[in-house]
Amino acid sequence: MGLSKSQFVDVAQFLLSAPKGAVDKVDIKAMVDYLGTVTGIFTSTDMNQSDKTDTASGVAISPVQAAKCFEETVRTQLFAQGVAQAINDCTRENDAPVRVLYAGTGPYATLLIPLLAVSDNLPVEVTLIDIHQENIDAVHKLINHFNLGHYHIRTHHADATLWRPESSQERFDIIISETMTALLKREPQVYIFKHLVQFLAPEGVLIPQQVSLKAWLTQGENKDERAELLGEFFCLDKSTSLALSQEDLSCFSSCLTIPDKDCSGYTIKLTTDIQVYGDLVLSEGDCSLNIAFHFSPYDVVLAANETIQFDYVAPSSPDFSIVFPKAKWQYSDYALPISDDVGRLGLVQLKRSFQRSFMIKRGERFEVPDPEWHAELVIYDMLGLSCAEVTANMFALETFVDFELWIEENAVDVSQIKVEAINDAFRRRLHI
């Protein structure tokens, strides 16, 4: 049995006052189901039936996907509490109503509707923006359902990276947007703040107040694994947004220096820390916005005192281009297996090729004579495998046993007769 309206208000009140992590997922799910019933937009709907919108500055996720964000308990709790605290702080300092602009509301206006539903006549003026008319229609249903008409809430069906208030003089005390993923990829959070900050009052606040992206030197993927901070490579906050609004894009490029130490066995992880407001902070492991990204050790070169370059690129699908130092190859005197040293399948050259790839992954370089390389390609062709997929698996798999298993599962034929034919073809091609 679902929540009643009064029960929804009670749960919302607890959401806005409880310590971090104290809200039960069951209660959040009950709130989501209630909002779905009111709006007709349910988180149980197949997301393929709800369309996202591609903008010039990132992807605006679909109404259903936006609704699903409410289900991330800690994320919803801290953002809702942050907005409430910001309004409360602003109310103390101003006699006039607090002017709030909320961009990217989704269907539930998650960060504001619960607060308005539990409050009696907050001194606020609210402007809501969303790019999906479906979301605007849903929010109107919630405004009517919770009898919020006295707030004279203005809604706009618009792209928040382009929207402008009717009066060029209008300014807002609080601008809210939670249109992001971890590492500020794909969605238009950066570009929404870049545009809307021009309408922020001089003493106004952005929520979130700060999104800090950091790089760490680490030896494992466990968040509790010892990690050494390399530094912050991007920070989205009020000052950054103001600079961007003046087309100062210098913050989009940065570099961090690798420590003067032996970094073998280490790799890089990237994290997203979010100061929602004041001391309300989301950090690694709290929600999907804080998922850490770990690079494979094979994808990075960590040379002491060299730099890693970060560039925020491609506005239509924002992401970071990350360039590690170039490998300083050394030619190896390691003796590779001979071509006739075979494994379980009895195929020549494979063990030699696999070991060569294994050593290259560790920074060694080997010259491959043209006759040997062309003869090796004959093997792949007769197995019905492309050179690209064979090479990719040589680098991805850690043991020759695993590589032979992959060959066995993917080759067209590894019967004894076929293997003998392949070995003969390889030897003939090698000695042409």
Side-chain angles (χ1 to χ4, degrees), residues 61-353:
I61 61 175
S62 71
V64 170
Q65 191 174 356
K68 286 180 181 291
C69 294
F70 198 119
E71 295 180 341
E72 292 199 66
T73 306
V74 176
R75 171 182 178 174
T76 296
Q77 179 190 0
L78 264 64
F79 266 96
Q81 289 184 0
V83 170
Q85 284 190 23
I87 291 173
N88 183 58
D89 290 347
C90 198
T91 301
R92 289 200 207 118
E93 297 173 4
N94 298 304
D95 294 329
V98 179
R99 296 155 298 178
V100 179
L101 173 62
Y102 183 0
T105 63
Y108 302 158
T110 302
L111 310 186
L112 201 55
I113 288 293
L115 174 63
L116 298 180
V118 305
S119 304
D120 292 324
N121 296 317
L122 272 179
V124 294
E125 293 178 355
V126 177
T127 300
L128 306 177
I129 306 172
D130 200 275
I131 200 169
H132 294 109
Q133 184 63 50
E134 187 178 358
N135 286 338
I136 295 296
D137 294 342
V139 169
H140 282 157
K141 292 177 182 178
L142 292 173
I143 291 170
N144 293 331
H145 180 77
F146 289 111
N147 302 313
L148 305 177
H150 59 284
Y151 284 112
H152 303 292
I153 299 171
R154 296 178 295 175
T155 60
H156 298 271
H157 173 214
D159 181 339
T161 66
L162 302 173
W163 176 86
R164 306 185 75 86
E166 292 179 4
S167 168
S168 60
Q169 304 304 311
E170 185 168 9
R171 295 294 179 267
F172 297 90
D173 301 299
I174 300 170
I175 295 179
I176 308 163
S177 189
E178 197 252 295
T179 47
M180 72 181 98
T181 62
L183 298 179
L184 294 169
K185 294 185 175 190
R186 190 169 177 261
E187 294 186 38
Q189 178 80 39
V190 173
Y191 292 91
I192 287 176
F193 274 2
K194 174 182 183 292
H195 176 66
L196 294 183
V197 73
Q198 65 184 301
F199 310 122
L200 187 68
E203 300 304 317
V205 297
L206 297 176
I207 293 181
Q209 283 187 299
Q210 184 184 89
V211 182
S212 174
L213 308 186
K214 299 182 180 73
W216 305 75
L217 199 61
T218 181
Q219 291 181 296
E221 294 193 9
N222 188 323
K223 77 168 187 172
D224 297 322
E225 185 91 24
R226 177 182 289 182
E228 178 180 344
L229 178 64
L230 290 185
E232 181 181 76
F233 61 90
F234 183 73
C235 180
L236 180 65
D237 57 14
K238 183 176 175 179
S239 62
T240 301
S241 301
L242 286 168
L244 290 172
S245 72
Q246 299 299 313
E247 297 304 321
D248 175 0
L249 308 184
S250 59
C251 65
F252 280 171
S253 295
S254 64
C255 62
L256 296 174
T257 302
I258 299 165
D260 185 9
K261 61 185 286 185
D262 179 6
C263 294
S264 57
Y266 285 83
T267 188
I268 295 294
K269 79 168 178 177
L270 308 179
T271 59
T272 307
D273 293 324
I274 303 169
Q275 180 191 10
V276 179
Y277 182 78
D279 59 358
L280 296 170
V281 174
L282 291 165
S283 55
E284 185 177 352
D286 280 337
C287 69
S288 65
L289 302 181
N290 309 110
I291 294 172
F293 179 85
H294 295 259
F295 284 91
S296 163
Y298 305 134
D299 293 334
V300 305
V301 173
L302 298 175
N305 300 313
E306 297 288 335
T307 60
I308 305 172
Q309 178 70 36
F310 300 85
D311 293 289
Y312 200 55
V313 296
S316 61
S317 184
D319 201 353
F320 278 92
S321 166
I322 302 170
V323 180
F324 292 94
K326 292 182 178 180
K328 295 180 179 178
W329 295 102
Q330 56 183 4
Y331 284 88
S332 178
D333 58 3
Y334 173 83
L336 293 173
I338 62 172
S339 296
D340 286 333
D341 188 352
V342 298
R344 178 177 58 83
L345 297 179
L347 284 162
V348 297
Q349 185 66 12
L350 286 191
K351 183 177 285 189
R352 177 178 173 85
S353 299

Side-chain angles (χ1 to χ4, degrees), residues 2-9 28-40 42 108 142 145-146:
L3 297 176
S4 66
K5 186 174 181 179
S6 62
Q7 287 173 327
F8 177 91
V9 170
I28 288 289
K29 185 64 172 67
M31 292 181 75
V32 168
D33 291 344
Y34 184 89
L35 294 170
T37 301
V38 175
T39 62
F42 297 91
Y108 302 158
L142 292 173
H145 180 77
F146 289 111

Side-chain angles (χ1 to χ4, degrees), residues 41 45-55 59-67 106-107 130-135 157 186:
I41 298 178
T45 302
D46 184 345
M47 284 195 292
N48 292 324
Q49 298 178 23
S50 182
D51 293 334
K52 62 181 176 63
T53 297
D54 293 316
T55 79
V59 175
I61 61 175
S62 71
V64 170
Q65 191 174 356
D130 200 275
I131 200 169
H132 294 109
Q133 184 63 50
E134 187 178 358
N135 286 338
H157 173 214
R186 190 169 177 261

Side-chain angles (χ1 to χ4, degrees), residues 374-395:
H374 291 299
E376 192 172 310
L377 293 178
V378 170
I379 296 175
Y380 306 152
D381 184 58
M382 293 181 70
L383 288 170
L385 300 170
S386 72
C387 177
E389 61 183 330
V390 172
T391 303
N393 279 278
M394 280 184 180
F395 276 83

